Amino acid sequence: MSQKIISFHYTLTGPDGKTLDSSADGEPLTFLEGVGQVIPGLETELSGMKVGDKKHIKVKAKDAYGEKHPDNIVEVPLSQMPTRGIKAGDRFRAGQDSHSPVVTALKVTETHVTLDGNHPLAGMDLAFDVEITEVREATKDELAHGHAHGPGGHHH
Ligand code: ZN
């Protein structure tokens, strides 16, 4: 099956209609089809759209960032945290490298911090207003690397 590189502008709104994220002020998002770079509920809809097409896409939580898992919420002694002065609402990476999952501090007491490893958008039904800006065949290199190159993709 031939895989495509798709670029699109988007505005993401949450269940309460508030804008959570948008590409309007920057480059469109570019991704390689079929490798899970965008959430499944969005990828299904984007595949088959043409340049200039616009669509309002509703994605249920389970097809977006999944439901919240209680198992991903843990209490950690502050003494085990690498940083001091953690406040509720802080977000940081759980490990050293840039691929470590992002966790959110839910609650901080004198001794412990409650960390939520769920994606910040987990459990939310989302809506995307999208506009396709480019569709092209993926190059051999892109298929081998498993990601898009060029504007909006990887530069290396
Ligand atoms: Zn590459």
Side-chain angles (χ1 to χ4, degrees), residues 141-150 153-156:
D141 278 351
E142 287 171 326
L143 290 171
H145 291 190
H147 55 228
H149 290 163
H154 279 247
H155 301 267
H156 62 128

Side-chain angles (χ1 to χ4, degrees), residues 32-130:
L32 170 64
E33 247 187 341
V35 295
Q37 283 173 350
V38 297
I39 55 173
L42 191 54
E43 177 152 359
T44 312
E45 295 286 335
L46 291 173
S47 299
M49 286 176 71
K50 296 187 293 294
V51 173
D53 283 356
K54 292 181 187 181
K55 206 180 219 178
H56 182 76
I57 300 171
K58 287 186 172 155
V59 184
K60 289 281 180 203
K62 68 175 171 57
D63 297 317
Y65 294 93
E67 303 295 345
K68 272 191 194 291
H69 292 289
D71 291 357
N72 291 341
I73 299 175
V74 292
E75 221 183 20
V76 180
L78 283 174
S79 58
Q80 285 181 21
M81 297 297 294
T83 48
R84 299 283 165 260
I86 294 165
K87 299 181 302 295
D90 285 356
R91 287 169 59 181
F92 37 87
R93 296 202 178 275
Q96 298 300 323
D97 72 279
S98 62
H99 296 290
S100 304
V102 172
V103 299
T104 308
L106 290 184
K107 199 176 83 180
V108 185
T109 67
E110 293 274 302
T111 54
H112 286 74
V113 55
T114 306
L115 296 177
D116 184 355
N118 289 296
H119 191 282
L121 299 178
M124 282 189 180
D125 293 341
L126 303 174
F128 294 84
D129 281 292
V130 301

